[in-house]
Amino acid sequence: QVHLVQSGGGSVQAGGSLRLSCGASPWPTRRYCMGWFRQAPGKEREGVATIDTAGGSLYYADSVKGRFTISQDYAKKVLYLQMNSLSSEDTAMYYCAADPRWDGCYARSDRDFSYWGQGTQVTVSS
């Protein structure tokens, strides 16, 4: 079992940047699928980005492509989501997720992730 603890987020003006962190304990010793999701008020949860711990399965939703970057620091055992050029459309609760089934990680649905972070709010004001 993997315990995910998120940090980062907060409020920022449009055009600004934020970085979300997701610490995994323990960090998976075998290949895992990792992802970031978000849910805005009144909307369904949507996938933002995926990556597996071997560095493959890199996926970004069209709405964030070119602005967001998913990455991982194996030494620090942390998954990151760097978010640049933020707009009000990015306002949502953000969640990190992990699953031991790395096959099919690319753009995986939230229904197929086993472990979840507690969520962190990102609010972008225009």
Side-chain angles (χ1 to χ4, degrees):
Q1 186 159 351
V2 175
H3 184 53
L4 302 176
V5 178
Q6 296 180 225
S7 60
S11 298
V12 66
Q13 289 193 330
S17 298
L18 285 172
R19 187 177 75 166
L20 305 183
S21 300
C22 176
S25 179
W27 184 264
T29 55
R30 61 187 182 91
R31 197 170 181 177
Y32 256 59
C33 179
M34 313 288 285
W36 286 97
F37 293 82
R38 67 185 181 184
Q39 187 167 21
K43 295 186 177 181
E44 293 186 354
R45 187 159 56 188
E46 64 171 342
V48 174
T50 60
I51 192 170
D52 68 53
T53 53
S57 306
L58 194 59
Y59 159 81
Y60 294 99
D62 287 343
S63 57
V64 307
K65 204 171 293 183
R67 300 187 299 120
F68 289 13
T69 302
I70 187 172
S71 64
Q72 49 201 344
D73 187 321
Y74 302 105
K76 295 182 179 179
K77 303 177 182 180
V78 178
L79 178 73
Y80 296 106
L81 184 69
Q82 177 67 42
M83 305 183 294
N84 299 327
S85 301
L86 286 161
S87 74
S88 57
E89 299 291 311
D90 298 313
T91 294
M93 185 73 78
Y94 284 72
Y95 299 89
C96 64
D99 192 88
R101 299 162 295 176
W102 63 266
D103 189 32
C105 180
Y106 184 88
R108 177 178 290 177
S109 166
D110 60 343
R111 296 188 300 271
D112 295 320
F113 278 87
S114 300
Y115 308 114
W116 289 87
Q118 80 278 18
T120 185
Q121 179 67 37
V122 171
T123 302
V124 185
S125 58
S126 55

